[in-house]
Amino acid sequence: MSTTALTILVAGGAGFVGSHLCETLLQKGHRVICLDSFQTGREGNVLPLCNFPTFRLVRHDVARPLVLSEKLDRVYNLASPASPPHYQADPVGTMMTNVVGTLNLLELAERNGARLLQASTSEVYGDPEVHPQPEDYVGHVNCTGPRACYDEGKRAAETLCFDFVRAKRADVRVARIFNTYGPRMRADDGRIVSNMIVQALRGDPMTVYGDGRQTRSFCYVSDLVAGLIALMEVAEAPATAVNIGNPEEFEIRELAERVRDLVPTSSRLVFSALPQDDPKRRRPDISRARDWLGWEPKVSLAEGLPQTVAWFAAEVTPAVPAPLRVARSVGAV
Ligand code: NAD
Ligand code: UDP
């Protein structure tokens, strides 16, 4: 990590991961511009960051043309809904955010001579036939299904990134992020960790899709942020994408039981159909992150889940946040 103070744009910085990333970068002494449409992001995530004089918040849709007055050193592109219910609510918008938005940010990075990190996803592997998933696995994605707007949007975004690299137009790094959880997920996010915790806290039925034998590997958000920064700051850009995730693999049913062990609740598990194209198994091969970045996760599910439960326990009966003043974009911001 450089000790120089950098000017860093975090697109999608008001979201779950983005707000933690902004906070860590500010704590390291950098200037951070958080750019967000607030489609799924929350003002409450970034309100405390406004105490840093080096923080600026801009409301803007990355799929619209983008000009910034500041000279940028780094661009993190996290702008995209990530939860299946949220990215499927406006599938065309999701595709445009990921394709046009990524192109706009790549061109911004090119104009600034800035490095760009693209937040890609394990969804580029689709419902994988190779387990665990190494980066050279090309994936098994249904391009016409309900998840395609996200999976194919992220795959096209990766294509744009590596086309910019081949044309020497920008220094780009691509992180393939596996399921990440932690404080600041929305209570209505719809992903498994937040759903199980919120349902258990409210005494509602805990919704398990399919038989709950499908697996995911859960990474705590502080580990992900450390991995993203390590990839952004490694001197030589890896020529390929890099998986960032925690290889500890769990059946969804087991995750639900672990939440029930932590939350005194009357909630019962209720089972319903597995959504179309839902991946059956997922676990990252993180050899490249270990070898190239010297990064590996430090927080096990046994440590991270109680911290997340504690945060949601306060969140599900929240105080009303103060209104936030946000600069509005008019094309040039
Ligand atoms: P999130 O929904 O909490 O955050 C996404 C942020 O992007 C939100 O603040 C949202 O308002 C913003 N955004 C969406 N569309 C935008 C647009 N057109 N213009 C500007 N801002 C826009 O999701 P997250 O979990 O924090 O995910 C962050 C990034 O990491 C996403 O790109 C996601 O695809 C990727 N990712 C996350 C996970 C995970 O498990 N959290 C896994 C794989 C990939
Ligand atoms: N899932 C579930 N109940 C829920 C939400 C999700 O059983 O309330 C399942 C979902 O079908 C998937 C897994 O949990 O098999 C992880 O889902 P999530 O939406 O968190 O992430 P993704 O499918 O994108 O990995």
Side-chain angles (χ1 to χ4, degrees), residues 84 123 147 179 190-192 195-196 199 207-209 214 216 252 274-275 278-279 282:
E123 292 286 335
R147 297 176 85 97
N179 298 66
R191 283 177 277 187
I192 185 67
N195 268 10
M196 292 301 102
Q199 290 164 351
T207 53
V208 175
Y209 306 151
Q214 71 272 29
R216 295 293 186 273
I252 292 311
L274 191 68
D278 199 291
R282 181 183 291 156

Side-chain angles (χ1 to χ4, degrees), residues 26-326:
L26 288 164
Q27 286 166 348
K28 287 177 181 286
H30 300 301
R31 294 188 61 230
V32 173
I33 304 162
C34 167
L35 186 142
D36 204 294
S37 66
F38 286 90
Q39 183 185 340
T40 54
R42 296 189 314 164
E43 293 184 346
N45 286 347
V46 284
L47 193 57
L49 305 183
C50 296
N51 293 324
F52 286 85
T54 48
F55 181 71
R56 185 156 92 87
L57 181 58
V58 177
R59 187 185 292 265
H60 184 82
D61 179 341
V62 291
R64 292 177 51 216
L66 181 59
V67 180
L68 282 172
S69 49
E70 287 96 332
K71 170 87 170 66
L72 302 173
D73 300 300
R74 303 280 188 268
V75 176
Y76 286 88
N77 180 18
L78 278 70
S80 169
S83 141
H86 288 158
Y87 68 63
Q88 290 173 25
D90 176 15
V92 175
T94 297
M95 178 68 92
M96 291 303 111
T97 288
N98 279 295
V99 180
V100 180
T102 301
L103 179 60
N104 284 336
L105 291 170
L106 284 164
E107 289 176 344
L108 182 71
E110 180 183 25
R111 288 197 298 276
N112 281 268
R115 246 179 229 180
L116 181 142
L117 182 140
Q118 170 67 9
S120 189
T121 169
S122 54
E123 292 286 335
V124 301
Y125 302 123
D127 187 4
E129 302 140 303
V130 172
H131 190 81
Q133 293 80 53
E135 290 88 346
D136 56 9
Y137 175 51
V138 296
H140 181 225
V141 174
N142 174 6
C143 68
T144 59
R147 297 176 85 97
C149 57
Y150 182 73
D151 300 8
E152 297 290 5
K154 290 284 188 182
R155 286 170 68 93
E158 283 201 19
T159 303
L160 286 167
C161 288
F162 287 105
D163 284 338
F164 266 66
V165 169
R166 273 185 289 272
K168 298 188 175 16
R169 293 178 64 180
D171 177 349
V172 182
R173 290 104 198 277
V174 175
R176 290 192 183 143
I177 301 170
F178 284 64
N179 298 66
T180 299
Y181 71 100
R184 301 190 195 151
M185 298 184 85
R186 293 168 61 124
D188 66 352
D189 180 275
R191 283 177 277 187
I192 185 67
V193 176
S194 48
N195 268 10
M196 292 301 102
I197 294 174
V198 171
Q199 290 164 351
L201 286 168
R202 290 178 174 158
D204 290 342
M206 294 168 73
T207 53
V208 175
Y209 306 151
D211 61 6
R213 298 283 182 213
Q214 71 272 29
T215 70
R216 295 293 186 273
S217 304
F218 298 103
C219 185
Y220 193 64
V221 66
S222 58
D223 280 332
L224 171 61
V225 166
L228 296 180
I229 294 174
L231 179 55
M232 178 66 104
E233 296 306 329
V234 71
E236 192 176 340
T240 68
V242 178
N243 289 339
I244 304 284
N246 189 324
E248 276 191 313
E249 184 181 359
F250 298 89
E251 289 187 347
I252 292 311
R253 244 179 129 113
E254 187 187 345
L255 178 78
E257 293 299 350
R258 282 183 174 234
V259 170
R260 281 213 299 196
D261 291 343
L262 291 168
V263 182
T265 183
S266 56
S267 297
R268 292 172 178 275
L269 304 193
V270 293
F271 294 84
S272 58
L274 191 68
Q276 185 186 338
D277 298 330
D278 199 291
K280 312 296 181 304
R281 296 181 77 191
R282 181 183 291 156
R283 177 185 183 185
D285 177 335
I286 59 165
S287 312
R288 285 184 183 172
R290 281 199 177 105
D291 294 348
W292 296 352
L293 311 179
W295 174 89
E296 62 181 2
K298 296 188 171 73
V299 184
S300 66
L301 190 69
E303 296 163 286
L305 200 55
Q307 293 180 41
T308 309
V309 166
W311 185 83
F312 270 110
E315 180 70 5
V316 291
T317 51
V320 178
L324 181 65
R325 286 170 59 87
V326 181

